[in-house]
mmCIF file with all atom_site columns, all heavy atoms in Angstrom:
data_model
loop_
_atom_site.group_PDB
_atom_site.id
_atom_site.type_symbol
_atom_site.label_atom_id
_atom_site.label_alt_id
_atom_site.label_comp_id
_atom_site.label_asym_id
_atom_site.label_entity_id
_atom_site.label_seq_id
_atom_site.pdbx_PDB_ins_code
_atom_site.Cartn_x
_atom_site.Cartn_y
_atom_site.Cartn_z
_atom_site.occupancy
_atom_site.B_iso_or_equiv
_atom_site.pdbx_formal_charge
_atom_site.auth_seq_id
_atom_site.auth_comp_id
_atom_site.auth_asym_id
_atom_site.auth_atom_id
_atom_site.pdbx_PDB_model_num
ATOM 1   N N   . THR A 1 1  ? 91.017  94.464  79.481 1.00 90.00 ? 1  THR A N   1
ATOM 2   C CA  . THR A 1 1  ? 91.530  95.295  80.573 1.00 90.00 ? 1  THR A CA  1
ATOM 3   C C   . THR A 1 1  ? 92.263  96.481  79.970 1.00 90.00 ? 1  THR A C   1
ATOM 4   O O   . THR A 1 1  ? 93.228  96.306  79.219 1.00 90.00 ? 1  THR A O   1
ATOM 5   C CB  . THR A 1 1  ? 92.486  94.507  81.472 1.00 90.00 ? 1  THR A CB  1
ATOM 6   O OG1 . THR A 1 1  ? 91.807  93.369  82.009 1.00 90.00 ? 1  THR A OG1 1
ATOM 7   C CG2 . THR A 1 1  ? 92.981  95.387  82.622 1.00 90.00 ? 1  THR A CG2 1
ATOM 8   N N   . ILE A 1 2  ? 91.776  97.664  80.266 1.00 90.00 ? 2  ILE A N   1
ATOM 9   C CA  . ILE A 1 2  ? 92.426  98.887  79.788 1.00 90.00 ? 2  ILE A CA  1
ATOM 10  C C   . ILE A 1 2  ? 93.348  99.374  80.894 1.00 90.00 ? 2  ILE A C   1
ATOM 11  O O   . ILE A 1 2  ? 92.894  99.797  81.956 1.00 90.00 ? 2  ILE A O   1
ATOM 12  C CB  . ILE A 1 2  ? 91.391  99.963  79.412 1.00 90.00 ? 2  ILE A CB  1
ATOM 13  C CG1 . ILE A 1 2  ? 90.476  99.428  78.311 1.00 90.00 ? 2  ILE A CG1 1
ATOM 14  C CG2 . ILE A 1 2  ? 92.090  101.243 78.953 1.00 90.00 ? 2  ILE A CG2 1
ATOM 15  C CD1 . ILE A 1 2  ? 89.358  100.378 77.921 1.00 90.00 ? 2  ILE A CD1 1
ATOM 16  N N   . VAL A 1 3  ? 94.654  99.276  80.657 1.00 91.00 ? 3  VAL A N   1
ATOM 17  C CA  . VAL A 1 3  ? 95.671  99.640  81.637 1.00 91.00 ? 3  VAL A CA  1
ATOM 18  C C   . VAL A 1 3  ? 96.072  101.098 81.425 1.00 91.00 ? 3  VAL A C   1
ATOM 19  O O   . VAL A 1 3  ? 96.462  101.482 80.314 1.00 91.00 ? 3  VAL A O   1
ATOM 20  C CB  . VAL A 1 3  ? 96.896  98.723  81.523 1.00 91.00 ? 3  VAL A CB  1
ATOM 21  C CG1 . VAL A 1 3  ? 98.021  99.215  82.426 1.00 91.00 ? 3  VAL A CG1 1
ATOM 22  C CG2 . VAL A 1 3  ? 96.515  97.289  81.879 1.00 91.00 ? 3  VAL A CG2 1
ATOM 23  N N   . ILE A 1 4  ? 95.979  101.892 82.485 1.00 90.00 ? 4  ILE A N   1
ATOM 24  C CA  . ILE A 1 4  ? 96.317  103.311 82.415 1.00 90.00 ? 4  ILE A CA  1
ATOM 25  C C   . ILE A 1 4  ? 97.379  103.633 83.456 1.00 90.00 ? 4  ILE A C   1
ATOM 26  O O   . ILE A 1 4  ? 97.055  103.829 84.632 1.00 90.00 ? 4  ILE A O   1
ATOM 27  C CB  . ILE A 1 4  ? 95.082  104.212 82.637 1.00 90.00 ? 4  ILE A CB  1
ATOM 28  C CG1 . ILE A 1 4  ? 93.916  103.784 81.736 1.00 90.00 ? 4  ILE A CG1 1
ATOM 29  C CG2 . ILE A 1 4  ? 95.434  105.681 82.395 1.00 90.00 ? 4  ILE A CG2 1
ATOM 30  C CD1 . ILE A 1 4  ? 92.789  103.115 82.455 1.00 90.00 ? 4  ILE A CD1 1
ATOM 31  N N   . PRO A 1 5  ? 98.661  103.656 83.070 1.00 90.00 ? 5  PRO A N   1
ATOM 32  C CA  . PRO A 1 5  ? 99.687  104.139 84.004 1.00 90.00 ? 5  PRO A CA  1
ATOM 33  C C   . PRO A 1 5  ? 99.466  105.635 84.233 1.00 90.00 ? 5  PRO A C   1
ATOM 34  O O   . PRO A 1 5  ? 99.318  106.400 83.267 1.00 90.00 ? 5  PRO A O   1
ATOM 35  C CB  . PRO A 1 5  ? 101.007 103.878 83.261 1.00 90.00 ? 5  PRO A CB  1
ATOM 36  C CG  . PRO A 1 5  ? 100.656 102.980 82.120 1.00 90.00 ? 5  PRO A CG  1
ATOM 37  C CD  . PRO A 1 5  ? 99.240  103.263 81.790 1.00 90.00 ? 5  PRO A CD  1
ATOM 38  N N   . ILE A 1 6  ? 99.455  106.050 85.486 1.00 89.00 ? 6  ILE A N   1
ATOM 39  C CA  . ILE A 1 6  ? 99.055  107.433 85.755 1.00 89.00 ? 6  ILE A CA  1
ATOM 40  C C   . ILE A 1 6  ? 99.910  108.026 86.865 1.00 89.00 ? 6  ILE A C   1
ATOM 41  O O   . ILE A 1 6  ? 100.249 107.346 87.840 1.00 89.00 ? 6  ILE A O   1
ATOM 42  C CB  . ILE A 1 6  ? 97.547  107.487 86.111 1.00 89.00 ? 6  ILE A CB  1
ATOM 43  C CG1 . ILE A 1 6  ? 96.991  108.874 85.906 1.00 89.00 ? 6  ILE A CG1 1
ATOM 44  C CG2 . ILE A 1 6  ? 97.266  106.918 87.481 1.00 89.00 ? 6  ILE A CG2 1
ATOM 45  C CD1 . ILE A 1 6  ? 95.484  108.891 85.759 1.00 89.00 ? 6  ILE A CD1 1
ATOM 46  N N   . TYR A 1 7  ? 100.259 109.297 86.685 1.00 87.00 ? 7  TYR A N   1
ATOM 47  C CA  . TYR A 1 7  ? 101.106 109.993 87.654 1.00 87.00 ? 7  TYR A CA  1
ATOM 48  C C   . TYR A 1 7  ? 100.703 111.465 87.689 1.00 87.00 ? 7  TYR A C   1
ATOM 49  O O   . TYR A 1 7  ? 100.834 112.187 86.700 1.00 87.00 ? 7  TYR A O   1
ATOM 50  C CB  . TYR A 1 7  ? 102.583 109.856 87.273 1.00 87.00 ? 7  TYR A CB  1
ATOM 51  C CG  . TYR A 1 7  ? 103.530 110.639 88.167 1.00 87.00 ? 7  TYR A CG  1
ATOM 52  C CD1 . TYR A 1 7  ? 103.688 110.297 89.509 1.00 87.00 ? 7  TYR A CD1 1
ATOM 53  C CD2 . TYR A 1 7  ? 104.255 111.709 87.662 1.00 87.00 ? 7  TYR A CD2 1
ATOM 54  C CE1 . TYR A 1 7  ? 104.555 111.017 90.327 1.00 87.00 ? 7  TYR A CE1 1
ATOM 55  C CE2 . TYR A 1 7  ? 105.123 112.427 88.473 1.00 87.00 ? 7  TYR A CE2 1
ATOM 56  C CZ  . TYR A 1 7  ? 105.273 112.078 89.803 1.00 87.00 ? 7  TYR A CZ  1
ATOM 57  O OH  . TYR A 1 7  ? 106.122 112.792 90.606 1.00 87.00 ? 7  TYR A OH  1
ATOM 58  N N   . ASN A 1 8  ? 100.130 111.887 88.818 1.00 85.00 ? 8  ASN A N   1
ATOM 59  C CA  . ASN A 1 8  ? 99.727  113.290 89.017 1.00 85.00 ? 8  ASN A CA  1
ATOM 60  C C   . ASN A 1 8  ? 98.812  113.789 87.895 1.00 85.00 ? 8  ASN A C   1
ATOM 61  O O   . ASN A 1 8  ? 99.096  114.775 87.222 1.00 85.00 ? 8  ASN A O   1
ATOM 62  C CB  . ASN A 1 8  ? 100.958 114.193 89.116 1.00 85.00 ? 8  ASN A CB  1
ATOM 63  C CG  . ASN A 1 8  ? 101.741 113.980 90.403 1.00 85.00 ? 8  ASN A CG  1
ATOM 64  O OD1 . ASN A 1 8  ? 101.264 113.320 91.330 1.00 85.00 ? 8  ASN A OD1 1
ATOM 65  N ND2 . ASN A 1 8  ? 102.937 114.523 90.475 1.00 85.00 ? 8  ASN A ND2 1
ATOM 66  N N   . GLU A 1 9  ? 97.700  113.086 87.692 1.00 82.00 ? 9  GLU A N   1
ATOM 67  C CA  . GLU A 1 9  ? 96.763  113.456 86.632 1.00 82.00 ? 9  GLU A CA  1
ATOM 68  C C   . GLU A 1 9  ? 95.363  113.697 87.190 1.00 82.00 ? 9  GLU A C   1
ATOM 69  O O   . GLU A 1 9  ? 94.366  113.361 86.547 1.00 82.00 ? 9  GLU A O   1
ATOM 70  C CB  . GLU A 1 9  ? 96.710  112.362 85.560 1.00 82.00 ? 9  GLU A CB  1
ATOM 71  C CG  . GLU A 1 9  ? 98.004  112.117 84.823 1.00 82.00 ? 9  GLU A CG  1
ATOM 72  C CD  . GLU A 1 9  ? 98.365  113.236 83.852 1.00 82.00 ? 9  GLU A CD  1
ATOM 73  O OE1 . GLU A 1 9  ? 97.623  114.229 83.794 1.00 82.00 ? 9  GLU A OE1 1
ATOM 74  O OE2 . GLU A 1 9  ? 99.401  113.109 83.169 1.00 82.00 ? 9  GLU A OE2 1
ATOM 75  N N   . GLU A 1 10 ? 95.251  114.285 88.374 1.00 82.00 ? 10 GLU A N   1
ATOM 76  C CA  . GLU A 1 10 ? 93.943  114.484 88.982 1.00 82.00 ? 10 GLU A CA  1
ATOM 77  C C   . GLU A 1 10 ? 93.039  115.378 88.131 1.00 82.00 ? 10 GLU A C   1
ATOM 78  O O   . GLU A 1 10 ? 91.814  115.212 88.126 1.00 82.00 ? 10 GLU A O   1
ATOM 79  C CB  . GLU A 1 10 ? 94.089  115.089 90.380 1.00 82.00 ? 10 GLU A CB  1
ATOM 80  C CG  . GLU A 1 10 ? 94.765  116.447 90.418 1.00 82.00 ? 10 GLU A CG  1
ATOM 81  C CD  . GLU A 1 10 ? 94.780  117.043 91.823 1.00 82.00 ? 10 GLU A CD  1
ATOM 82  O OE1 . GLU A 1 10 ? 93.876  116.692 92.597 1.00 82.00 ? 10 GLU A OE1 1
ATOM 83  O OE2 . GLU A 1 10 ? 95.680  117.843 92.123 1.00 82.00 ? 10 GLU A OE2 1
ATOM 84  N N   . GLU A 1 11 ? 93.618  116.321 87.382 1.00 83.00 ? 11 GLU A N   1
ATOM 85  C CA  . GLU A 1 11 ? 92.813  117.227 86.567 1.00 83.00 ? 11 GLU A CA  1
ATOM 86  C C   . GLU A 1 11 ? 92.228  116.530 85.343 1.00 83.00 ? 11 GLU A C   1
ATOM 87  O O   . GLU A 1 11 ? 91.174  116.923 84.853 1.00 83.00 ? 11 GLU A O   1
ATOM 88  C CB  . GLU A 1 11 ? 93.667  118.416 86.122 1.00 83.00 ? 11 GLU A CB  1
ATOM 89  C CG  . GLU A 1 11 ? 94.215  119.262 87.271 1.00 83.00 ? 11 GLU A CG  1
ATOM 90  C CD  . GLU A 1 11 ? 95.086  120.394 86.761 1.00 83.00 ? 11 GLU A CD  1
ATOM 91  O OE1 . GLU A 1 11 ? 94.679  121.067 85.792 1.00 83.00 ? 11 GLU A OE1 1
ATOM 92  O OE2 . GLU A 1 11 ? 96.171  120.611 87.316 1.00 83.00 ? 11 GLU A OE2 1
ATOM 93  N N   . VAL A 1 12 ? 92.911  115.508 84.841 1.00 84.00 ? 12 VAL A N   1
ATOM 94  C CA  . VAL A 1 12 ? 92.476  114.843 83.610 1.00 84.00 ? 12 VAL A CA  1
ATOM 95  C C   . VAL A 1 12 ? 91.506  113.698 83.883 1.00 84.00 ? 12 VAL A C   1
ATOM 96  O O   . VAL A 1 12 ? 90.698  113.340 83.024 1.00 84.00 ? 12 VAL A O   1
ATOM 97  C CB  . VAL A 1 12 ? 93.706  114.309 82.838 1.00 84.00 ? 12 VAL A CB  1
ATOM 98  C CG1 . VAL A 1 12 ? 93.302  113.733 81.495 1.00 84.00 ? 12 VAL A CG1 1
ATOM 99  C CG2 . VAL A 1 12 ? 94.737  115.411 82.646 1.00 84.00 ? 12 VAL A CG2 1
ATOM 100 N N   . LEU A 1 13 ? 91.551  113.132 85.081 1.00 86.00 ? 13 LEU A N   1
ATOM 101 C CA  . LEU A 1 13 ? 90.807  111.905 85.384 1.00 86.00 ? 13 LEU A CA  1
ATOM 102 C C   . LEU A 1 13 ? 89.324  111.941 85.002 1.00 86.00 ? 13 LEU A C   1
ATOM 103 O O   . LEU A 1 13 ? 88.834  111.003 84.362 1.00 86.00 ? 13 LEU A O   1
ATOM 104 C CB  . LEU A 1 13 ? 90.965  111.556 86.866 1.00 86.00 ? 13 LEU A CB  1
ATOM 105 C CG  . LEU A 1 13 ? 92.085  110.586 87.219 1.00 86.00 ? 13 LEU A CG  1
ATOM 106 C CD1 . LEU A 1 13 ? 92.200  110.421 88.718 1.00 86.00 ? 13 LEU A CD1 1
ATOM 107 C CD2 . LEU A 1 13 ? 91.860  109.235 86.560 1.00 86.00 ? 13 LEU A CD2 1
ATOM 108 N N   . PRO A 1 14 ? 88.569  112.978 85.382 1.00 85.00 ? 14 PRO A N   1
ATOM 109 C CA  . PRO A 1 14 ? 87.136  112.965 85.035 1.00 85.00 ? 14 PRO A CA  1
ATOM 110 C C   . PRO A 1 14 ? 86.887  112.869 83.535 1.00 85.00 ? 14 PRO A C   1
ATOM 111 O O   . PRO A 1 14 ? 86.026  112.089 83.091 1.00 85.00 ? 14 PRO A O   1
ATOM 112 C CB  . PRO A 1 14 ? 86.636  114.291 85.614 1.00 85.00 ? 14 PRO A CB  1
ATOM 113 C CG  . PRO A 1 14 ? 87.600  114.619 86.709 1.00 85.00 ? 14 PRO A CG  1
ATOM 114 C CD  . PRO A 1 14 ? 88.928  114.138 86.218 1.00 85.00 ? 14 PRO A CD  1
ATOM 115 N N   . GLN A 1 15 ? 87.645  113.627 82.743 1.00 86.00 ? 15 GLN A N   1
ATOM 116 C CA  . GLN A 1 15 ? 87.471  113.563 81.291 1.00 86.00 ? 15 GLN A CA  1
ATOM 117 C C   . GLN A 1 15 ? 87.887  112.208 80.749 1.00 86.00 ? 15 GLN A C   1
ATOM 118 O O   . GLN A 1 15 ? 87.213  111.649 79.861 1.00 86.00 ? 15 GLN A O   1
ATOM 119 C CB  . GLN A 1 15 ? 88.318  114.648 80.621 1.00 86.00 ? 15 GLN A CB  1
ATOM 120 C CG  . GLN A 1 15 ? 88.008  116.074 81.065 1.00 86.00 ? 15 GLN A CG  1
ATOM 121 C CD  . GLN A 1 15 ? 88.939  117.067 80.395 1.00 86.00 ? 15 GLN A CD  1
ATOM 122 O OE1 . GLN A 1 15 ? 89.010  117.123 79.168 1.00 86.00 ? 15 GLN A OE1 1
ATOM 123 N NE2 . GLN A 1 15 ? 89.679  117.838 81.189 1.00 86.00 ? 15 GLN A NE2 1
ATOM 124 N N   . LEU A 1 16 ? 88.983  111.673 81.280 1.00 86.00 ? 16 LEU A N   1
ATOM 125 C CA  . LEU A 1 16 ? 89.478  110.382 80.815 1.00 86.00 ? 16 LEU A CA  1
ATOM 126 C C   . LEU A 1 16 ? 88.462  109.280 81.059 1.00 86.00 ? 16 LEU A C   1
ATOM 127 O O   . LEU A 1 16 ? 88.140  108.487 80.158 1.00 86.00 ? 16 LEU A O   1
ATOM 128 C CB  . LEU A 1 16 ? 90.800  110.054 81.513 1.00 86.00 ? 16 LEU A CB  1
ATOM 129 C CG  . LEU A 1 16 ? 91.395  108.672 81.253 1.00 86.00 ? 16 LEU A CG  1
ATOM 130 C CD1 . LEU A 1 16 ? 91.747  108.508 79.790 1.00 86.00 ? 16 LEU A CD1 1
ATOM 131 C CD2 . LEU A 1 16 ? 92.621  108.439 82.133 1.00 86.00 ? 16 LEU A CD2 1
ATOM 132 N N   . VAL A 1 17 ? 87.927  109.214 82.264 1.00 87.00 ? 17 VAL A N   1
ATOM 133 C CA  . VAL A 1 17 ? 86.959  108.166 82.602 1.00 87.00 ? 17 VAL A CA  1
ATOM 134 C C   . VAL A 1 17 ? 85.684  108.329 81.771 1.00 87.00 ? 17 VAL A C   1
ATOM 135 O O   . VAL A 1 17 ? 85.105  107.332 81.311 1.00 87.00 ? 17 VAL A O   1
ATOM 136 C CB  . VAL A 1 17 ? 86.643  108.196 84.107 1.00 87.00 ? 17 VAL A CB  1
ATOM 137 C CG1 . VAL A 1 17 ? 85.519  107.239 84.444 1.00 87.00 ? 17 VAL A CG1 1
ATOM 138 C CG2 . VAL A 1 17 ? 87.897  107.834 84.913 1.00 87.00 ? 17 VAL A CG2 1
ATOM 139 N N   . ARG A 1 18 ? 85.261  109.557 81.557 1.00 88.00 ? 18 ARG A N   1
ATOM 140 C CA  . ARG A 1 18 ? 84.050  109.785 80.767 1.00 88.00 ? 18 ARG A CA  1
ATOM 141 C C   . ARG A 1 18 ? 84.227  109.291 79.333 1.00 88.00 ? 18 ARG A C   1
ATOM 142 O O   . ARG A 1 18 ? 83.337  108.608 78.783 1.00 88.00 ? 18 ARG A O   1
ATOM 143 C CB  . ARG A 1 18 ? 83.699  111.269 80.772 1.00 88.00 ? 18 ARG A CB  1
ATOM 144 C CG  . ARG A 1 18 ? 82.400  111.588 80.018 1.00 88.00 ? 18 ARG A CG  1
ATOM 145 C CD  . ARG A 1 18 ? 81.965  113.019 80.212 1.00 88.00 ? 18 ARG A CD  1
ATOM 146 N NE  . ARG A 1 18 ? 82.948  113.960 79.672 1.00 88.00 ? 18 ARG A NE  1
ATOM 147 C CZ  . ARG A 1 18 ? 83.722  114.734 80.419 1.00 88.00 ? 18 ARG A CZ  1
ATOM 148 N NH1 . ARG A 1 18 ? 83.655  114.657 81.744 1.00 88.00 ? 18 ARG A NH1 1
ATOM 149 N NH2 . ARG A 1 18 ? 84.574  115.576 79.872 1.00 88.00 ? 18 ARG A NH2 1
ATOM 150 N N   . ARG A 1 19 ? 85.363  109.584 78.728 1.00 88.00 ? 19 ARG A N   1
ATOM 151 C CA  . ARG A 1 19 ? 85.583  109.159 77.347 1.00 88.00 ? 19 ARG A CA  1
ATOM 152 C C   . ARG A 1 19 ? 85.775  107.644 77.254 1.00 88.00 ? 19 ARG A C   1
ATOM 153 O O   . ARG A 1 19 ? 85.324  107.005 76.292 1.00 88.00 ? 19 ARG A O   1
ATOM 154 C CB  . ARG A 1 19 ? 86.781  109.898 76.753 1.00 88.00 ? 19 ARG A CB  1
ATOM 155 C CG  . ARG A 1 19 ? 86.466  111.365 76.461 1.00 88.00 ? 19 ARG A CG  1
ATOM 156 C CD  . ARG A 1 19 ? 87.640  112.095 75.852 1.00 88.00 ? 19 ARG A CD  1
ATOM 157 N NE  . ARG A 1 19 ? 88.059  111.543 74.572 1.00 88.00 ? 19 ARG A NE  1
ATOM 158 C CZ  . ARG A 1 19 ? 89.043  112.060 73.838 1.00 88.00 ? 19 ARG A CZ  1
ATOM 159 N NH1 . ARG A 1 19 ? 89.702  113.129 74.281 1.00 88.00 ? 19 ARG A NH1 1
ATOM 160 N NH2 . ARG A 1 19 ? 89.363  111.524 72.678 1.00 88.00 ? 19 ARG A NH2 1
ATOM 161 N N   . LEU A 1 20 ? 86.422  107.056 78.245 1.00 87.00 ? 20 LEU A N   1
ATOM 162 C CA  . LEU A 1 20 ? 86.560  105.596 78.259 1.00 87.00 ? 20 LEU A CA  1
ATOM 163 C C   . LEU A 1 20 ? 85.202  104.923 78.416 1.00 87.00 ? 20 LEU A C   1
ATOM 164 O O   . LEU A 1 20 ? 84.916  103.895 77.788 1.00 87.00 ? 20 LEU A O   1
ATOM 165 C CB  . LEU A 1 20 ? 87.495  105.169 79.385 1.00 87.00 ? 20 LEU A CB  1
ATOM 166 C CG  . LEU A 1 20 ? 88.989  105.437 79.190 1.00 87.00 ? 20 LEU A CG  1
ATOM 167 C CD1 . LEU A 1 20 ? 89.755  105.118 80.467 1.00 87.00 ? 20 LEU A CD1 1
ATOM 168 C CD2 . LEU A 1 20 ? 89.549  104.618 78.030 1.00 87.00 ? 20 LEU A CD2 1
ATOM 169 N N   . ASP A 1 21 ? 84.346  105.496 79.249 1.00 87.00 ? 21 ASP A N   1
ATOM 170 C CA  . ASP A 1 21 ? 83.011  104.945 79.463 1.00 87.00 ? 21 ASP A CA  1
ATOM 171 C C   . ASP A 1 21 ? 82.178  105.042 78.193 1.00 87.00 ? 21 ASP A C   1
ATOM 172 O O   . ASP A 1 21 ? 81.500  104.087 77.806 1.00 87.00 ? 21 ASP A O   1
ATOM 173 C CB  . ASP A 1 21 ? 82.331  105.687 80.613 1.00 87.00 ? 21 ASP A CB  1
ATOM 174 C CG  . ASP A 1 21 ? 80.943  105.159 80.886 1.00 87.00 ? 21 ASP A CG  1
ATOM 175 O OD1 . ASP A 1 21 ? 80.793  103.937 81.121 1.00 87.00 ? 21 ASP A OD1 1
ATOM 176 O OD2 . ASP A 1 21 ? 79.976  105.954 80.862 1.00 87.00 ? 21 ASP A OD2 1
ATOM 177 N N   . ASP A 1 22 ? 82.263  106.204 77.519 1.00 86.00 ? 22 ASP A N   1
ATOM 178 C CA  . ASP A 1 22 ? 81.524  106.370 76.264 1.00 86.00 ? 22 ASP A CA  1
ATOM 179 C C   . ASP A 1 22 ? 82.013  105.376 75.215 1.00 86.00 ? 22 ASP A C   1
ATOM 180 O O   . ASP A 1 22 ? 81.213  104.808 74.456 1.00 86.00 ? 22 ASP A O   1
ATOM 181 C CB  . ASP A 1 22 ? 81.691  107.798 75.738 1.00 86.00 ? 22 ASP A CB  1
ATOM 182 C CG  . ASP A 1 22 ? 80.995  108.827 76.620 1.00 86.00 ? 22 ASP A CG  1
ATOM 183 O OD1 . ASP A 1 22 ? 80.102  108.426 77.395 1.00 86.00 ? 22 ASP A OD1 1
ATOM 184 O OD2 . ASP A 1 22 ? 81.351  110.018 76.528 1.00 86.00 ? 22 ASP A OD2 1
ATOM 185 N N   . MET A 1 23 ? 83.313  105.164 75.162 1.00 87.00 ? 23 MET A N   1
ATOM 186 C CA  . MET A 1 23 ? 83.862  104.211 74.209 1.00 87.00 ? 23 MET A CA  1
ATOM 187 C C   . MET A 1 23 ? 83.387  102.798 74.507 1.00 87.00 ? 23 MET A C   1
ATOM 188 O O   . MET A 1 23 ? 82.987  102.051 73.602 1.00 87.00 ? 23 MET A O   1
ATOM 189 C CB  . MET A 1 23 ? 85.399  104.284 74.254 1.00 87.00 ? 23 MET A CB  1
ATOM 190 C CG  . MET A 1 23 ? 86.135  103.320 73.342 1.00 87.00 ? 23 MET A CG  1
ATOM 191 S SD  . MET A 1 23 ? 86.327  101.642 74.016 1.00 87.00 ? 23 MET A SD  1
ATOM 192 C CE  . MET A 1 23 ? 87.191  101.988 75.543 1.00 87.00 ? 23 MET A CE  1
ATOM 193 N N   . SER A 1 24 ? 83.395  102.423 75.778 1.00 84.00 ? 24 SER A N   1
ATOM 194 C CA  . SER A 1 24 ? 83.033  101.055 76.150 1.00 84.00 ? 24 SER A CA  1
ATOM 195 C C   . SER A 1 24 ? 81.577  100.734 75.827 1.00 84.00 ? 24 SER A C   1
ATOM 196 O O   . SER A 1 24 ? 81.238  99.579  75.581 1.00 84.00 ? 24 SER A O   1
ATOM 197 C CB  . SER A 1 24 ? 83.295  100.831 77.645 1.00 84.00 ? 24 SER A CB  1
ATOM 198 O OG  . SER A 1 24 ? 82.431  101.635 78.441 1.00 84.00 ? 24 SER A OG  1
ATOM 199 N N   . LYS A 1 25 ? 80.717  101.744 75.820 1.00 85.00 ? 25 LYS A N   1
ATOM 200 C CA  . LYS A 1 25 ? 79.302  101.519 75.501 1.00 85.00 ? 25 LYS A CA  1
ATOM 201 C C   . LYS A 1 25 ? 79.100  101.103 74.055 1.00 85.00 ? 25 LYS A C   1
ATOM 202 O O   . LYS A 1 25 ? 78.064  100.528 73.710 1.00 85.00 ? 25 LYS A O   1
ATOM 203 C CB  . LYS A 1 25 ? 78.500  102.784 75.803 1.00 85.00 ? 25 LYS A CB  1
ATOM 204 C CG  . LYS A 1 25 ? 78.420  103.116 77.293 1.00 85.00 ? 25 LYS A CG  1
ATOM 205 C CD  . LYS A 1 25 ? 77.685  104.415 77.526 1.00 85.00 ? 25 LYS A CD  1
ATOM 206 C CE  . LYS A 1 25 ? 77.633  104.745 79.026 1.00 85.00 ? 25 LYS A CE  1
ATOM 207 N NZ  . LYS A 1 25 ? 76.981  106.062 79.282 1.00 85.00 ? 25 LYS A NZ  1
ATOM 208 N N   . SER A 1 26 ? 80.097  101.414 73.206 1.00 84.00 ? 26 SER A N   1
ATOM 209 C CA  . SER A 1 26 ? 79.995  101.050 71.792 1.00 84.00 ? 26 SER A CA  1
ATOM 210 C C   . SER A 1 26 ? 80.491  99.643  71.509 1.00 84.00 ? 26 SER A C   1
ATOM 211 O O   . SER A 1 26 ? 80.374  99.159  70.386 1.00 84.00 ? 26 SER A O   1
ATOM 212 C CB  . SER A 1 26 ? 80.793  102.049 70.929 1.00 84.00 ? 26 SER A CB  1
ATOM 213 O OG  . SER A 1 26 ? 80.312  103.367 71.105 1.00 84.00 ? 26 SER A OG  1
ATOM 214 N N   . LEU A 1 27 ? 81.078  98.997  72.522 1.00 82.00 ? 27 LEU A N   1
ATOM 215 C CA  . LEU A 1 27 ? 81.569  97.635  72.354 1.00 82.00 ? 27 LEU A CA  1
ATOM 216 C C   . LEU A 1 27 ? 80.458  96.644  72.667 1.00 82.00 ? 27 LEU A C   1
ATOM 217 O O   . LEU A 1 27 ? 79.851  96.692  73.738 1.00 82.00 ? 27 LEU A O   1
ATOM 218 C CB  . LEU A 1 27 ? 82.763  97.376  73.276 1.00 82.00 ? 27 LEU A CB  1
ATOM 219 C CG  . LEU A 1 27 ? 84.057  98.120  72.946 1.00 82.00 ? 27 LEU A CG  1
ATOM 220 C CD1 . LEU A 1 27 ? 85.092  97.889  74.033 1.00 82.00 ? 27 LEU A CD1 1
ATOM 221 C CD2 . LEU A 1 27 ? 84.613  97.674  71.596 1.00 82.00 ? 27 LEU A CD2 1
#
């Protein structure tokens, strides 16, 4: 479980999810 505490980060979310998804594919 990757826990992401988040506060007012709407601009970063798409990039964050994309990089997390790319990382998870390598596991």
Side-chain angles (χ1 to χ4, degrees):
T1 302
I2 300 176
V3 173
I4 310 108
I6 201 160
Y7 176 66
N8 290 348
E9 297 288 3
E10 61 175 333
E11 299 178 45
V12 185
L13 266 175
Q15 302 177 57
L16 174 63
V17 173
R18 183 171 63 251
R19 287 181 61 178
L20 287 173
D21 180 55
D22 292 341
M23 178 278 302
S24 66
K25 292 177 181 177
S26 301
L27 291 173

